[in-house]
């Protein structure tokens, strides 16, 4: 396996980034993100069709996030010995089945079952996709490769959900999920043809110098990974950053209504999405050389934007804050996954993959919790408290990033 990987890396050095493979991975990520968020765009149609309340139908998003959070780490451990390409194809096939089941759901229970199945597939896919992109990239371009793959997230939010919503309005919500199944079928073929196979993660790498890493227990991959210097700080940052974002994003429509911009909600979200795309483009160009600078900048922009939204509803300033928010948030998945991967690689490739599984778990747990906390704050203290809480969590993230400069967010790249 070592020889094969060495030959593959030599070829990649000669030809540059494997664009077709990375775009296939990016489309797979697009499908996972779109599947998660699409119900929000067609919520009224689902409720009317299945004769359920909006609150009950909204649990379709919660079930997905919870299933992903609960299964990412166990599935990563259980499939550690499985080659990555067949495992990825298996996860996408489960997505195909889950979205088809959702599209054909005769009732609420089957709908939730399809959403739960999709969440399990997401837990498996998300735990390996960033690591997959990293492992097929040329040496020195791993962060850029992850950025290309992670483009699927902002594209899903800024283009996929509006497109799915339009399909739902014109042809029904079932057609929207059927369209996702159709795209998934195409991606399965694309991955089969374009994405190179990589072997299973190895527990130790002979080319890694462990002399500067703390001893770790050899009892479980999870304990080993969490004991790697920097990993804990990264995971706390993931939790606070995603929680802060979700608390406000989940209730952005009520906020804009409060600000007198309710009719412009779609336009504001489009501006946010466009800024996300700009952010991930900038991150993709510079992440391999300026990871710390970009992460600090992202935390600053997010905190500034949400704090601004907490103190004023002046229309031009709200628009500007939405753009700043997108600039800070768009590249965050790439930055945090790249940071976690690099920190894990200082121990082993298996630790890097386990770190991604932990990140996925915390990410989805924070999303699920963000919706709950944001709702409670909205009901008890009003929308301004929602924005202020998001800003406070952004400030915590900024403090961790600026303070954890030795292992979690180093100023220079540590070569694995």
């Amino acid at each position: 396996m070592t020889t094969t990987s060495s030959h593959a890396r030599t070829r990649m050095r000669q030809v540059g980034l494997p664009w077709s493979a990375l775009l296939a991975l990016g489309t797979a990520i697009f499908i996972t993100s779109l599947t998660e968020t699409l119900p929000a765009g067609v919520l009224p149609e689902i409720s009317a069709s299945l004769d359920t309340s909006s609150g009950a139908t909204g649990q379709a998003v919660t079930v997905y996030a919870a299933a992903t959070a609960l299964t990412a780490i166990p599935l990563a451990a259980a499939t550690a010995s499985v080659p990555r390409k067949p495992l990825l194809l298996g996860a996408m096939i489960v997505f195909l089945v889950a979205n088809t089941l959702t599209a054909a759901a005769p009732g609420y229970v089957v709908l939730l079952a399809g959403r739960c199945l999709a969440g399990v597939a997401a837990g498996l896919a998300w735990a390996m996709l960033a690591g997959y992109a990293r492992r097929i990239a040329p040496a020195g371009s791993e962060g850029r490769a992850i950025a290309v793959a992670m483009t699927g997230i902002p594209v899903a939010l800024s283009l996929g959900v509006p497109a799915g919503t339009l399909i739902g309005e014109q042809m029904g919500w079932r057609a929207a999920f059927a369209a996702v199944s159709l795209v998934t079928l195409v991606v399965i073929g694309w991955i089969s043809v374009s994405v190179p196979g990589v072997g299973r993660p190895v527990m130790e790498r002979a080319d890694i110098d462990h002399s500067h890493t703390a001893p770790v227990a050899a009892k479980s991959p999870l304990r080993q990974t969490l004991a790697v210097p920097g990993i804990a700080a990264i995971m706390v940052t993931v939790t606070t950053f995603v929680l802060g974002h979700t608390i406000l994003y989940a209730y952005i429509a009520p906020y804009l209504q409060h600000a007198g911009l309710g009719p412009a909600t779609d336009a504001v979200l489009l501006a946010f999405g466009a800024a996300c795309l700009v952010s991930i483009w900038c991150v993709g160009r510079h992440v391999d050389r300026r990871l710390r600078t970009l992460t600090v900048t992202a935390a600053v922009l997010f905190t500034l934007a949400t704090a601004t939204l907490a103190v004023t509803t002046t229309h031009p300033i709200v628009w500007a804050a939405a753009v700043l928010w997108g600039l800070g948030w768009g590249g965050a998945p790439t930055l945090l996954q790249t940071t976690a991967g690099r920190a894990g690689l200082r121990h082993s490739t298996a630790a890097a993959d386990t770190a991604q599984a932990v990140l996925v778990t915390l990410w989805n747990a924070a999303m699920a919790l963000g919706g709950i906390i944001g709702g409670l704050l909205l009901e008890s203290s009003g929308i301004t408290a929602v924005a202020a809480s998001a800003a406070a969590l952004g400030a915590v993230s900024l403090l961790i990033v600026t303070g954890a400069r030795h292992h979690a967010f180093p100023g220079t790249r540590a070569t694995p």
Side-chain angles (χ1 to χ4, degrees):
M1 188 183 81
T2 302
T3 302
T4 302
S5 299
S6 177
H7 289 168
R9 189 165 291 279
T10 298
R11 288 195 298 271
M12 286 186 285
R13 283 196 187 101
Q14 296 171 350
V15 301
L17 285 178
W19 284 101
S20 181
L22 291 174
L23 291 174
L25 296 180
T27 309
I29 291 176
F30 168 85
I31 289 171
T32 67
S33 298
L34 180 58
T35 299
E36 181 170 22
T37 55
L38 182 56
V42 292
L43 196 65
E45 290 83 0
I46 298 177
S47 296
S49 174
L50 300 182
D51 194 24
T52 58
S53 68
S54 295
T57 306
Q59 298 311 304
V61 176
T62 303
V63 165
Y64 182 104
T68 302
L70 291 172
T71 59
I73 294 176
L75 284 177
T79 59
S81 62
V82 180
R84 301 293 94 176
K85 185 171 181 177
L87 191 61
L88 177 58
L89 286 171
M92 299 313 296
I93 289 171
V94 175
F95 261 109
L96 175 63
V97 172
N99 280 313
T100 303
L101 180 62
T102 301
Y108 182 65
V109 174
V110 177
L111 174 75
L112 292 186
R115 296 293 297 169
C116 182
L117 184 62
V120 171
L124 180 59
W126 266 91
M128 78 173 89
L129 280 166
Y132 210 133
R134 183 184 69 245
R135 293 168 72 185
I136 66 175
S141 296
E142 294 88 351
R144 188 181 177 203
I146 293 174
V148 173
M150 289 297 109
T151 304
I153 297 174
V155 170
L157 291 175
S158 60
L159 300 178
V161 173
T165 302
L166 180 62
I167 293 174
E169 291 173 349
Q170 298 298 320
M171 303 175 63
W173 67 270
R174 297 181 188 277
F177 281 97
V180 178
S181 290
L182 183 61
V183 174
T184 305
L185 188 61
V186 172
V187 172
I188 290 171
W190 191 0
I191 291 172
S192 299
V193 172
S194 297
V195 176
V198 296
R200 65 186 184 182
V202 294
M203 291 307 301
E204 297 294 339
R205 285 175 37 170
D207 59 324
I208 297 177
D209 178 9
H210 294 276
S211 60
H212 299 295
T213 61
V216 293
K219 292 184 178 181
S220 74
L222 179 58
R223 288 183 60 183
Q224 288 181 355
T225 300
L226 293 178
V228 173
I231 289 292
I234 292 168
M235 296 308 164
V236 174
T237 304
V238 168
T239 304
T240 55
F241 208 152
V242 177
L243 185 59
H245 166 78
T246 307
I247 281 175
L248 184 54
Y249 187 81
Y251 298 96
I252 189 62
Y255 175 86
L256 293 174
Q257 289 176 351
H258 169 73
L261 285 168
T265 296
D266 290 346
V268 174
L269 290 179
L270 181 61
F272 169 82
C276 284
L277 292 175
V278 172
S279 173
I280 202 166
W281 178 80
C282 292
V283 167
R285 286 182 60 87
H286 302 292
V287 62
D288 289 302
R289 298 184 303 277
R290 298 185 176 92
L291 179 57
R292 175 177 174 80
T293 300
L294 289 170
T295 308
V296 171
T297 301
V300 168
L301 290 175
F302 175 80
T303 304
L304 178 61
T306 50
T308 300
L309 294 174
V311 299
T312 183
T313 56
T314 304
H315 289 189
I317 296 178
V318 170
W319 278 92
V323 171
L324 288 179
W325 182 3
L327 292 174
W329 174 254
T334 298
L335 294 169
L336 294 171
Q337 293 209 3
T338 300
T339 302
R342 286 186 184 177
L345 279 174
R346 288 197 290 269
H347 178 60
S348 66
T349 54
D353 284 356
T354 302
Q356 299 296 342
V358 175
L359 186 150
V360 169
T361 297
L362 294 175
W363 192 289
N364 283 275
M367 288 185 66
L369 190 60
I372 296 171
I373 294 175
L376 293 174
L377 287 169
L378 180 62
E379 292 296 327
S380 63
S381 304
I383 194 64
T384 301
V386 175
S389 297
L393 287 163
V396 172
S397 301
L398 178 59
L399 287 174
I400 297 172
V401 173
T402 54
R405 63 174 61 249
H406 298 297
H407 298 292
F409 303 97
T412 57
R413 177 175 180 177
T415 303

